[in-house]
Amino acid sequence: MNVLLISTYELGRQPFGLASPAAWLRQAGHSVVCTDLSRQSLDQAAVQNAELVAFYLPMHTATRLALPVIDQVRTLNPTTRLGAYGLYAPLNKDLLRAHGVSSILGGEFEPGLVRAAAGLPDEPWTHRDIPRLAFLAPDRRDLPPLSHYAALTLPDGTRKVAGYTEASRGCKHSCRHCPVVPIYDGQFRIVSSDVVLADIRDQVERGAQHVTFGDPDFFNGIGHALRVVDRVSREFPGLSYDVTIKIEHLLQHAEHLSRLRDTGCLFVTSAVESVDDRVLDILAKGHTREDFVRVVELCRNAGLALSPTFVAFTPWTTLEGYRELLGIVDTLDLADHVAPIQLTIRLLLPEGSRLLALSEVRDLIGPFDAEKLVYRWEHSDPRVDELQRNLAVLVSARSSEPRRRLFEMIWELAHAAIAGGRPRSVRPPGPGVACLDEPWYCCAEPM
């Protein structure tokens, strides 16, 4: 069968969500074309030739971008079978079916795509049915070069070609706002270290000088994670990498931070989300503000950069609370560590969010917005929503500004919104931190 796999957006990365199923489908004897619409235009001939067209939907933005393309594909090839897979496919199954999608797959989607390519129906799925797969090394042969994607930028301005892989999927934890939770429900699955190394080896041969591990939490399986980085360090001693780890796991496994540093880890992303303990409790994050402050110290002592991410605007955010967030970022000298867009993020409430189980959330939301794919909410203090909109416009318009300078602009705008704002003490420029030039973010409501 001729299969067309389409990605609309994967955070500036070469799409793992195309390369992995491509390997499975090709092994099963199917002809596969991979198209990344963030870097390529839609090939009408490939659409017309395809008997199955499947869209990878790992995040909210990718899903919104996919909907008009799904309609375009239906027009170009009315007889092709349409599929959607990834975290946001099951969450939006009714909407996708209304657009003509017949095969909808969530976690561990590779075998389901092979079944769809064989003309078989989807197997019944529940959270308890997530299989343990013997993963194959991803097949990246027809994707755009890694040099066309987000690069690592070092403090001195040097840019390095960046790759991306996954050593595990799913997550042990149940943060209420996280899109992983409705699909995996506290489960995670290991990708064998042999497969991870094969994927990294292939990307190094294609020019990768740095690799992002995209696991929702790299320390979900601490033993597996350490074996992987040890093997990567031995085989590729000059290769750097970054990982994402929860605050509570950084505390729990603090003795291994130096091991990350010694094996080439440049920075650790952690979804801090808030410095308000009440908000952290509502989101079920499993850490406190004090824990966050402690982790900053631990990472700094270990020679690792911590890159916090935030959901800065929630229904429970106050103007004073937002000013407090900026104050903590400033006091901890993290202005260079935080992508400015993180200070504009507004809580996303998609279908399936565990936050919708809370009565206080249900009481504040409006009807589901089928265009934006969210339940809309408005803050009880209109000034908070106004500040968020103004900050989003500022960051979008000044995206090329250095992080520290843009932080100063955010500070000035936020403190102008409330009486009694204090001037920010000017800090000398820091040494800077390594970062990817397309910032990672999620849980953001579209403007």
Side-chain angles (χ1 to χ4, degrees):
M1 177 178 280
N2 295 323
V3 181
L4 174 59
L5 301 178
I6 295 177
S7 171
T8 55
Y9 181 61
E10 199 171 348
L11 297 166
R13 306 161 177 160
Q14 190 188 66
F16 185 92
L18 299 189
S20 180
W24 286 69
L25 288 160
R26 286 170 178 149
Q27 185 185 70
H30 301 289
S31 175
V32 181
V33 174
C34 295
T35 298
D36 178 4
L37 295 182
S38 75
R39 299 296 186 272
Q40 300 167 298
S41 57
L42 186 65
D43 185 336
Q44 294 190 9
V47 173
Q48 292 166 342
N49 190 48
E51 298 160 275
L52 170 66
V53 179
F55 291 80
Y56 181 47
L57 308 180
M59 58 181 296
H60 182 267
T61 300
T63 308
R64 291 187 64 213
L65 292 173
L67 291 177
V69 184
I70 292 172
D71 294 340
Q72 184 180 0
V73 167
R74 289 179 66 195
T75 299
L76 290 170
N77 188 347
T79 63
T80 193
R81 182 175 183 179
L82 295 176
Y85 61 101
L87 296 177
Y88 274 79
L91 299 185
N92 294 283
K93 61 181 183 299
D94 293 339
L95 181 63
L96 290 168
R97 294 199 190 284
H99 282 260
V101 177
S102 61
S103 183
I104 296 176
L105 306 164
E108 319 313 271
F109 43 73
E110 288 88 348
L113 285 170
V114 173
R115 285 181 57 85
L120 300 174
D122 293 347
E123 293 182 320
W125 175 86
T126 69
H127 296 300
R128 297 177 182 176
D129 294 330
I130 296 176
R132 298 181 183 274
L133 303 181
F135 288 98
L136 302 177
D139 186 341
R140 302 173 182 272
R141 71 181 75 171
D142 61 342
L143 288 169
L146 290 172
S147 59
H148 290 197
Y149 290 90
L152 178 80
T153 301
L154 297 176
D156 64 2
T158 301
R159 297 177 81 249
K160 288 188 173 184
V161 175
Y164 173 89
T165 195
E166 296 176 2
S168 65
R169 289 184 181 170
C171 187
K172 288 180 177 179
H173 302 275
S174 299
C175 304
R176 288 194 176 101
H177 63 306
C178 179
V180 177
V181 174
I183 305 302
Y184 283 91
D185 195 27
Q187 303 170 79
F188 83 108
R189 296 290 182 261
I190 291 297
V191 181
S192 80
S193 58
D194 288 341
V195 169
V196 177
L197 265 289
D199 188 28
I200 292 175
R201 192 177 300 120
D202 177 55
Q203 292 182 76
V204 169
E205 291 173 358
R206 297 174 187 272
Q209 301 163 295
H210 176 88
V211 171
T212 292
F213 285 94
D215 312 42
D217 188 334
F218 194 64
F219 274 3
N220 265 322
I222 181 69
H224 172 65
L226 295 177
R227 285 191 295 273
V228 166
V229 296
D230 284 345
R231 290 189 62 183
V232 170
S233 177
R234 286 195 299 269
E235 185 167 347
F236 309 105
L239 187 73
S240 60
Y241 68 90
D242 67 271
V243 295
T244 296
I245 303 175
K246 283 175 66 67
I247 291 294
E248 63 180 293
H249 279 169
L250 291 170
L251 284 173
Q252 183 181 352
H253 303 295
E255 71 274 17
H256 296 303
L257 297 182
S258 59
R259 192 160 167 187
L260 293 181
R261 176 202 63 211
D262 293 342
T263 53
C265 185
L266 293 183
F267 62 93
V268 177
T269 298
S270 193
V272 176
E273 314 301 39
S274 178
V275 296
D276 183 324
D277 283 341
R278 176 173 178 255
V279 174
L280 290 170
D281 184 58
I282 291 170
L283 300 181
K285 281 301 300 176
H287 70 258
T288 64
R289 175 167 68 179
E290 183 179 347
D291 292 335
F292 164 48
V293 173
R294 175 62 178 148
V295 163
V296 172
E297 178 185 9
L298 290 170
C299 287
R300 196 160 275 157
N301 290 343
L304 278 177
L306 182 72
S307 295
T309 65
F310 297 101
V311 180
F313 290 89
T314 73
W316 311 283
T317 302
T318 63
L319 291 177
E320 187 59 46
Y322 185 77
R323 189 165 67 175
E324 187 174 9
L325 167 63
L326 297 183
I328 288 176
V329 170
D330 187 39
T331 299
L332 296 176
D333 199 16
L334 293 174
D336 290 317
H337 296 239
V338 179
I341 195 172
Q342 293 296 329
L343 299 172
T344 76
I345 298 294
R346 193 172 191 271
L347 179 66
L348 180 76
L349 291 173
E351 287 280 19
S353 171
R354 287 187 66 232
L355 283 169
L356 298 173
L358 300 180
S359 59
E360 63 183 297
V361 173
R362 293 196 303 272
D363 290 343
L364 62 86
I365 61 174
F368 185 73
D369 185 332
E371 179 185 355
K372 303 293 188 182
L373 304 186
V374 294
Y375 287 95
R376 287 297 205 173
W377 59 271
E378 293 183 358
H379 201 283
S380 58
D381 182 350
R383 297 175 302 165
V384 175
D385 285 340
E386 181 182 11
L387 175 61
Q388 189 275 331
R389 287 191 295 268
N390 291 339
L391 290 174
V393 170
L394 169 68
V395 170
S396 177
R398 300 296 190 99
S399 59
S400 61
E401 293 278 357
R403 285 183 173 184
R404 189 172 291 262
R405 174 58 186 144
L406 197 42
F407 180 81
E408 292 169 358
M409 296 178 187
I410 291 170
W411 180 284
E412 292 167 5
L413 190 57
H415 283 70
I418 47 179
R422 65 179 177 87
R424 177 173 174 265
S425 57
V426 178
R427 293 180 180 274
V433 294
C435 61
L436 295 170
D437 58 14
E438 184 159 347
W440 176 93
Y441 68 97
C442 72
C443 303
E445 181 175 300
M447 294 178 64

